[in-house]
Amino acid sequence: MQRASFLNSKKRFYLSLIGVLLFLLALAACGPSAPDQSPANGTQPTSGLSGLSGDVVIDGSSTVFPITEAVAEEFGILTNQKVRVTVGISGTGGGFKKFCNSETQITNASRPIKGSEVELCGKAGIEFIEIPIAIDGITVMVNPDNDFVDCLTVAELHTMWSPESEGKITNWNQVRSSWPNESVELYGPGVDSGTFDYFTETINGESQSSRGDFTASENDNVLVQGIAGGWYSTGYFGYAYYIENKDKLKAVAIDGGNGCITPTDETINNGTYAPLSRPLFIYVRKDAADAPQIREFVNYYLSDEGRQLAAEVGYIPFPDEVYDLALDRFNNGIAGTLFGGDNPRHGTVADVLRGG
């Protein structure tokens, strides 16, 4: 009996041991086989993107820079940082010079390409694909403590910024007689900026036509500091930078002929903030567009995620149709400009793309 009891106890011990081992094996099978490599924001890289590598070199507009930078950062996460995206700021004009010299594959532009730039690229054998990516509103601002400027007409902006005003219009009361007899301190983008081109053409009737006695900078942060730092300062730059610094600045409503309209997401998108709302672009070299990292970067830029990033940094996404039409042009390699050059087409962005 003692031997039988011993054997039964031994049998129960081994059965228990086997049970424990089986439990541990099952637990190990359910556990993670490797540390979690998912991006911090929860975005899972697709097999196609995570296998990409190479460079994407971009330059150009400071206005478009925040969108492209945001897209580049997220795209880097999706590719496990194997695609190196560099984004410079040379201004729209400076960016086109580099682009047409094959120094970059993509250029950011806060205005359509000019006829002279089309010619420059043509001489170098550079074809390009034009892609509208968002809407922006040029915002005119004053110091937040300014209690007399709430609205400016287009005519008053012309009085302040036209070449003929240099040395003549120096005080606020010369713009509107009820305003103080105090010096106007002017700040604006540099001459290589697409914002400068668009503003001068819209307000003064000719691109690059402006008084020269203002503080100019390609760095919008310098303009923020200048406008915010002077009681009688004023200046202009893109809406997104205003939103980023709205605690330091006061946006001025603009009367384009239908009353004073303040720039907001809604007024810029529906066109009532006229005439200072405008489309923004990227231009892609056609000879670079077939490179896998370029193709996927542009596709991501125009995806739902890319549009959301544009909104997050303060710009107004287009309706879905615009992105579908733009993506179709890109994927079919349709080169040339519809919005710029010497014979730009007119209408809504969707109308122009449909007609192209």
Side-chain angles (χ1 to χ4, degrees), residues 63 254 328:
T63 300
I254 302 301
D328 184 65

Side-chain angles (χ1 to χ4, degrees), residues 230-301:
W231 190 287
Y232 298 105
S233 299
T234 186
Y236 65 92
F237 49 73
Y239 176 72
Y241 278 103
Y242 160 69
I243 291 298
E244 188 176 323
N245 296 278
K246 62 182 180 180
D247 57 327
K248 305 173 187 174
L249 302 164
K250 172 184 169 182
V252 177
I254 302 301
D255 185 351
N258 294 306
C260 298
I261 305 295
T262 302
T264 65
D265 288 10
E266 182 181 0
T267 61
I268 292 169
N269 194 26
N270 65 21
T272 57
Y273 182 66
L276 292 180
S277 57
R278 54 170 176 173
L280 305 174
F281 300 86
I282 59 172
Y283 288 78
V284 184
R285 272 188 16 227
K286 187 176 178 181
D287 63 343
D290 287 334
Q293 75 275 19
I294 302 294
R295 183 179 64 250
E296 294 301 337
F297 179 80
V298 174
N299 273 269
Y300 181 70
Y301 207 126

Side-chain angles (χ1 to χ4, degrees), residues 320-330 349-350 353-354:
D320 290 347
E321 182 189 10
V322 169
Y323 295 101
D324 293 341
L325 290 166
L327 192 58
D328 184 65
R329 289 180 67 82
F330 175 71
V349 172
L353 288 171
R354 273 193 237 103

Side-chain angles (χ1 to χ4, degrees), residues 9-84:
S9 297
K10 192 173 181 180
K11 184 177 180 181
R12 286 195 298 271
F13 169 76
Y14 282 116
L15 288 172
S16 298
L17 182 61
I18 291 170
V20 170
L21 289 172
L22 289 172
F23 173 77
L24 291 173
L25 288 170
L27 186 64
C30 293
S33 60
D36 184 12
Q37 299 296 321
S38 297
N41 67 356
T43 302
Q44 297 292 332
T46 65
S47 58
L49 292 182
S50 62
L52 289 175
S53 62
D55 296 316
V56 181
V57 184
I58 308 169
D59 209 304
S61 165
S62 64
T63 300
V64 181
F65 173 82
I67 310 176
T68 302
E69 181 186 41
V71 172
E73 288 178 356
E74 292 300 315
F75 190 74
I77 293 171
L78 292 172
T79 61
N80 293 326
Q81 309 301 334
K82 291 179 182 177
V83 175
R84 296 173 297 277

Side-chain angles (χ1 to χ4, degrees), residues 309-323:
L309 290 169
E312 286 178 5
V313 295
Y315 294 84
I316 317 300
F318 288 114
D320 290 347
E321 182 189 10
V322 169
Y323 295 101

